[in-house]
Amino acid sequence: IEIKNIISYNSMINGYAAKGMVDKSMKLFYELLENKIQPDETTFVNLLEACTNSSNLVKGREVNEIIKTFNFKSEAVNNSLVKMFSKCN
């Protein structure tokens, strides 16, 4: 990524999420954090979508813990959590 901001990271994470590529999505997420960029609602929804599309409950739980760490609350994220847990269990 040449221009590294929340929009470019979310776009890339979304692309990987659509293909169920949870490991690549997570790698970009951790890179985002290393670059001191604050994740937003879209970031977390995309990460949860990656977990859902890959049926990866372990990574889904990891994302859930990250969301708790950030004390992030939103209806869209909550809905994505419900979807992920229902499809991965």
Side-chain angles (χ1 to χ4, degrees):
I1 302 173
E2 191 170 313
I3 299 173
K4 295 182 179 185
N5 58 34
I6 191 62
I7 296 168
S8 59
Y9 274 107
N10 283 343
S11 296
M12 291 295 296
I13 292 170
N14 182 45
Y16 288 133
K19 303 248 183 225
M21 301 171 81
V22 69
D23 291 330
K24 289 191 177 195
S25 295
M26 294 298 291
K27 182 178 178 188
L28 278 175
F29 174 73
Y30 287 116
E31 182 182 308
L32 172 150
L33 294 179
E34 286 174 15
N35 286 314
K36 310 242 186 287
I37 297 172
Q38 185 72 23
D40 63 10
E41 178 178 78
T42 302
T43 311
F44 292 124
V45 168
N46 287 336
L47 288 173
L48 290 166
E49 188 70 17
C51 298
T52 302
N53 289 343
S54 64
S55 299
N56 193 324
L57 183 59
V58 172
K59 290 290 184 182
R61 286 184 173 149
E62 180 181 344
V63 173
N64 187 31
E65 289 305 312
I66 292 167
I67 291 166
K68 289 178 187 177
T69 301
F70 278 89
N71 198 28
F72 197 88
K73 294 177 173 59
S74 88
E75 189 172 329
V77 170
N78 288 343
N79 290 340
S80 294
L81 280 164
V82 169
K83 180 179 174 182
M84 185 273 300
F85 280 119
S86 68
K87 290 196 173 187
C88 292
N89 271 332

